[in-house]
């Protein structure tokens, strides 16, 4: 049974933008012109990959702080009531999350911080509501780190990020890897991948996202329709062959709420192509938000970010042009509804469904422990392969007892 590790935390699905036509004094526009203490530098910075997220340890205000590196965010982010002394308020901006919800949020400049040998000043961050999921970081650093003109090589096997302002540092390695061009939309990187033969899909490269790939449902429907209308029924049937199941529900959580409930397709792709590199036997699902390539990409190769050429280059750890994923399918997702943990999505082929769990069920107790909030649920310590007792309430208000493994 797959629980919250499949649900993206609030801030990590956020991309921020300020509309130029809103010429209001209180709106702060996107600005990557933070200050750097060095020029003509090349620094090696330790990184940590934990639970599918990429962290940097920095020094800020004389204290050790942990930053989440999130390429799906246009700039920095902190949460309301964050204990970061020395932030300077800059105004407000319009912020959009991955589910196309928006709101006006505060903007601040973070206190100067040191990352490796590099000191960064006047780094801009939006202030967001604190997410329901517990976070292991003090702030987020976004793709503006690279939009500023810095080049990087992220190597999770060695636990380092090489950061430089020298254009030719990674030139030879880029020639040996598998490169794809990206374009900036709302100041974050979008690129093209191929989930099916003769089909391409525009995806957001988002290191804050914990799944290797998810596909926008509208894009998926167009792939199927295109095959049936313009190619042949056999090709359309071939795409349908890669559908393991369908259900109606919601699972993606944005900064301002969960996505709308709609049909979700559970996919088992023969391959997903990143340029000339293939991820084989990949299970994924569709979503109402943007298609995404997430942080698990970094388990399979080092990545070079070239902001001048707007190019991402994968250097596979296995030295070949493909890797077999063979991951398990996501079968159950929970979302907060009125502050409570509620089944947002469930696949009929899952063990949880067979045990009696249904979309819309609210979790009341686990092993006789009250689950009063979404945080109670996400912090509950499940035991692998252990059958836990659930007391849930369905949409009609009836309670039922279930026994399920994590």
């Amino acid at each position: 049974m797959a629980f919250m590790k499949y649900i993206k935390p609030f801030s990590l699905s956020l991309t921020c933008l300020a509309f130029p036509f809103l010429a209001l004094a209180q709106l702060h526009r996107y600005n990557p012109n933070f200050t750097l203490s060095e020029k003509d530098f090349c620094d090696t910075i330790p990184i940590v990959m934990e639970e599918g997220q990429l962290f940097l340890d920095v020094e800020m205000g004389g204290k050790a702080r942990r930053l989440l590196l999130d390429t799906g965010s246009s700039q920095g982010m902190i949460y309301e009531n964050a204990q970061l002394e020395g932030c300077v308020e800059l105004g407000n901006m319009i912020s959009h999350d991955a589910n196309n919800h928006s709101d006006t949020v505060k903007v601040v400049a973070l206190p100067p911080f040191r990352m490796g040998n590099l000191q960064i000043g006047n780094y801009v961050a939006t202030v967001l509501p604190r997410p329901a999921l517990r976070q292991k970081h003090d702030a987020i650093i976004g793709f503006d780190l690279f939009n500023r003109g810095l080049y990087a090589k992220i190597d999770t096997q060695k636990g380092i990020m090489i950061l430089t302002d020298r254009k030719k540092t990674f030139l030879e390695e880029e020639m040996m890897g598998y490169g794809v061009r990206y374009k900036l939309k709302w100041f974050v990187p979008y690129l093209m991948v191929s989930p099916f033969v003769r089909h391409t899909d525009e995806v957001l490269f988002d290191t804050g996202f914990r799944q290797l790939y998810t596909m926008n449902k509208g894009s998926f429907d167009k792939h199927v329709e295109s095959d049936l209308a313009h190619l042949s029924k056999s090709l359309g049937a071939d795409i349908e062959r890669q559908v393991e199941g369908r259900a109606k529900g919601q699972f993606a959580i944005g900064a301002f709420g969960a996505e709308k409930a709609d049909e979700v397709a559970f996919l088992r792709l023969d391959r997903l192509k990143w340029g000339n590199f293939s991820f084989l036997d990949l299970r994924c699902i569709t979503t109402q938000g943007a298609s995404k390539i997430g942080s698990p990409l970094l388990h399979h190769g080092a990545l070079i970010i070239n902001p001048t050429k707007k190019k991402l280059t994968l250097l596979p750890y296995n030295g070949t042009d493909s890797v077999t994923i063979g991951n398990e399918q996501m079968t159950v997702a929970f979302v907060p509804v009125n502050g409570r943990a509620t089944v947002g999505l469930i696949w009929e082929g899952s063990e949880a469904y067979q045990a009696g769990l249904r979309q819309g069920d609210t979790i009341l107790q686990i092993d006789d422990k009250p689950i009063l909030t979404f945080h109670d649920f996400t912090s509950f310590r499940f035991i692998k392969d252990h059958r836990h007792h659930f007391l849930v309430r369905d949409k009609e208000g009836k309670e039922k007892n279930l026994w399920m493994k994590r």
Side-chain angles (χ1 to χ4, degrees):
M1 183 173 175
F3 282 94
M4 283 305 305
K5 66 180 181 179
Y6 292 104
I7 298 181
K8 181 177 175 57
F10 285 12
S11 62
L12 304 188
S13 61
L14 183 79
T15 54
C16 300
L17 67 158
F19 292 102
F21 55 82
L22 292 175
L24 303 177
Q26 73 269 25
L27 287 181
H28 181 91
R29 298 187 179 185
Y30 176 82
N31 185 354
N33 294 326
F34 48 86
T35 61
L36 303 173
S37 61
E38 305 287 337
K39 290 185 178 180
D40 191 26
F41 73 93
C42 186
D43 198 3
T44 299
I45 300 168
I47 59 174
V48 178
M49 193 81 164
E50 290 182 0
E51 297 180 5
Q53 295 188 304
L54 192 62
F55 298 102
L56 306 168
D57 291 321
V58 305
E59 181 185 340
M60 182 183 296
K63 297 181 180 179
R65 300 290 189 182
R66 173 160 283 194
L67 302 185
L68 172 71
L69 180 59
D70 182 3
T71 61
S73 174
S74 60
Q75 59 192 73
M77 286 183 246
I78 61 173
Y79 301 120
E80 292 175 350
N81 303 318
Q83 301 300 311
L84 293 177
E85 302 83 4
C87 292
V88 178
E89 291 193 14
L90 300 176
N92 300 317
M93 72 184 297
I94 304 296
S95 179
H96 285 225
D97 70 9
N99 299 321
N100 204 30
H101 300 154
S102 63
D103 202 351
T104 300
V105 297
K106 291 182 179 180
V107 181
V108 300
L110 296 183
F113 59 91
R114 183 167 294 279
M115 185 170 62
N117 295 315
L118 185 69
Q119 180 160 304
I120 297 178
N122 298 316
Y123 185 74
V124 174
T126 53
V127 183
L128 299 180
R130 185 163 292 278
L133 300 178
R134 184 178 61 182
Q135 304 301 317
K136 295 185 176 181
H137 52 273
D138 299 292
I140 287 173
I141 189 166
F143 201 71
D144 54 349
L145 180 68
F146 311 109
N147 289 341
R148 178 69 168 77
L150 299 185
Y151 303 76
K153 178 182 177 181
I154 301 172
D155 189 329
T156 59
Q157 276 197 348
K158 295 181 178 179
I160 59 172
M161 177 174 70
I162 301 174
L163 194 65
T164 181
D165 59 357
R166 300 170 187 167
K167 293 184 178 181
K168 298 183 179 180
T169 301
F170 308 116
L171 186 59
E172 291 185 6
E173 289 181 289
E174 286 185 84
M175 295 174 63
M176 296 185 296
Y178 296 86
V180 292
R181 302 276 184 169
Y182 66 83
K183 62 181 179 180
L184 294 176
K185 293 176 62 175
W186 306 302
F187 312 108
V188 289
Y190 280 79
L191 53 102
M192 303 302 293
V193 298
S194 174
F196 307 113
V197 176
R198 288 183 288 275
H199 289 261
T200 58
D201 187 27
E202 184 180 64
V203 301
L204 168 64
F205 173 58
D206 184 357
T207 56
F209 189 59
R210 302 186 193 192
Q211 298 179 55
L212 178 57
Y213 177 60
T214 189
M215 187 187 304
N216 172 265
K217 180 57 163 53
S219 296
F220 172 74
D221 290 340
K222 288 180 181 178
H223 294 319
V224 175
E225 291 173 7
S226 175
D227 274 344
L228 292 175
H230 302 295
L231 295 177
S232 70
K233 291 185 178 180
S234 63
L235 287 175
D238 188 59
I239 289 182
E240 289 293 341
R241 175 183 57 80
Q242 297 176 70
V243 177
E244 290 191 310
R246 298 175 187 267
K248 185 172 183 178
Q250 57 191 147
F251 78 98
I253 305 173
F256 310 117
E259 66 181 355
K260 296 179 180 179
D262 205 340
E263 185 183 66
V264 173
F266 298 83
L267 308 176
R268 183 176 183 175
L269 302 182
D270 294 336
R271 93 292 185 274
L272 174 72
K273 296 206 72 173
W274 167 288
N276 292 320
F277 187 85
S278 297
F279 297 96
L280 307 176
D281 190 18
L282 170 63
R283 288 182 171 90
C284 61
I285 63 175
T286 61
T287 176
Q288 301 308 306
S291 297
K292 295 179 183 179
I293 292 283
S295 60
L297 175 79
L298 303 174
H299 291 310
H300 304 292
L303 185 75
I304 295 173
I305 301 175
N306 185 326
T308 300
K309 294 182 178 179
K310 289 185 171 57
K311 185 178 181 181
L312 303 175
T313 301
L314 183 69
L315 304 172
Y317 291 134
N318 65 9
T320 69
D321 62 0
S322 67
V323 61
T324 299
I325 304 301
N327 57 317
E328 294 183 0
Q329 182 61 270
M330 189 192 92
T331 57
V332 182
F334 295 85
V335 296
V337 176
N338 298 322
R340 305 292 296 264
T342 303
V343 179
L345 175 69
I346 187 165
W347 178 31
E348 292 185 6
S350 67
E351 293 182 10
Y353 189 91
Q354 301 303 319
L357 197 66
R358 295 293 184 269
Q359 197 271 342
D361 285 353
T362 298
I363 309 302
L364 303 178
Q365 293 181 5
I366 304 177
D367 294 342
D368 297 323
K369 179 179 179 180
I371 304 297
L372 303 178
T373 66
F374 193 66
H375 181 266
D376 288 344
F377 175 73
T378 60
S379 60
F380 186 87
R381 294 186 178 183
F382 291 97
I383 302 172
K384 186 177 181 180
D385 295 328
H386 176 74
R387 293 178 77 246
H388 294 275
H389 170 242
F390 286 72
L391 175 64
V392 305
R393 183 172 56 231
D394 66 18
K395 292 180 180 179
E396 285 71 41
K398 297 179 181 179
E399 295 184 1
K400 53 186 176 182
N401 293 280
L402 311 174
W403 285 263
M404 295 178 290
K405 292 184 179 179
R406 186 192 187 283

